[in-house]
Amino acid sequence: MQEHGCGFSTLLAVTGPLAGTVWWDGRAICDRIVPLSPDHLGGARPVRFAEWLRHGSWALLPPDWPPHPSTPVVPR
């Protein structure tokens, strides 16, 4: 888990059919947990851990999620 402040967290599924995928926990303000994905319009396949490491959580949120102004997107 990675804490982002204001009640936001990134979660890693460790068991079950989604094990190894990464999710955004926004329950603090909107009661939603969403998959982090590079393709939210095409089905939102949740990213795997290694892919998440390359992009970070804020870059993989759905397009309707407000951007986080203080978190730079650093391509690797």
Side-chain angles (χ1 to χ4, degrees):
M1 181 173 99
Q2 178 183 23
E3 174 62 39
H4 298 284
C6 299
F8 296 116
S9 299
T10 298
L11 307 173
L12 172 66
V14 294
T15 62
L18 296 172
T21 61
V22 185
W23 299 74
W24 180 261
D25 183 351
R27 292 177 291 178
I29 64 158
C30 67
D31 203 28
R32 290 173 54 195
I33 295 178
V34 296
L36 292 173
S37 176
D39 187 18
H40 284 277
L41 301 177
R45 173 195 57 79
V47 294
R48 307 227 25 104
F49 183 75
E51 188 175 9
W52 171 77
L53 286 175
R54 289 191 302 271
H55 297 285
S57 297
W58 291 99
L60 297 168
L61 284 168
D64 63 341
W65 206 279
H68 189 277
S70 67
T71 302
V73 175
V74 180
R76 294 184 185 211

